[in-house]
Amino acid sequence: MSSPYDGSSTRDSSPAQDTPPMTARKKRSGPRTRSKLFVLDTNVLMHDPTSLFRFEEHDIFLPIMTLEELDNNKKGMTEVARNARQASRFLDEIVSSAGARIAEGISLKRHAADSATGRLFLQTEAINGDLPASLPMGKNDNQIIGVLMFLQK
């Protein structure tokens, strides 16, 4: 028996079923769903700097550790360094348009054609999230988990 994960295929190759693997998302109609808060790790931004604008109506929270790691990865000529610099540019544009309203969240909508209608929240104060004893405090990812645990309360 074949599985979609084992590389084998049971798909009929008739023209009626040949569709592109990725299709454009349809715009949602109807009542707006409740927005979620996504906490982004540095790797998300370094993989795709435009990911900031891909969460549609949902809000984004960036822990200070994410911003520091992004800043530390901007040097060099690698794709990761270029993406880190681009993500930093996007964040700079967003924050500089906000003025003094950073604590309220900054709109991610850049222009009328943008599908991003959520807000960006930056960690602006120290968060002392209690971590389980099995997670050492010295690791950046664990500090981000501490932020997540704090935000869930």
Side-chain angles (χ1 to χ4, degrees), residues 19-109:
T19 58
M22 301 270 267
T23 57
R25 287 182 116 177
K26 294 181 180 176
K27 294 271 184 184
R28 292 184 188 148
S29 60
R32 186 174 176 187
T33 59
R34 185 172 168 221
S35 124
K36 296 178 183 177
L37 179 67
F38 287 89
V39 177
L40 298 189
D41 182 40
T42 314
N43 292 320
V44 173
L45 296 172
M46 289 193 308
H47 177 73
D48 179 10
T50 63
S51 63
L52 283 167
F53 310 105
R54 296 181 186 263
F55 287 88
E56 298 177 351
E57 74 272 10
H58 303 295
D59 298 334
I60 296 173
F61 183 89
L62 293 180
I64 193 69
M65 191 56 60
T66 298
L67 298 172
E68 289 174 0
E69 286 181 340
L70 194 63
D71 192 50
N72 291 336
N73 284 286
K74 293 191 301 186
K75 296 174 184 74
M77 298 301 294
T78 65
E79 182 178 357
V80 169
R82 284 190 293 273
N83 286 348
R85 288 190 296 274
Q86 184 60 53
S88 291
R89 282 187 216 106
F90 285 147
L91 289 168
D92 188 46
E93 289 173 18
I94 293 167
V95 171
S96 53
S97 71
R101 306 179 323 259
I102 292 176
E104 300 167 13
I106 308 162
S107 174
L108 289 168
K109 190 169 188 77

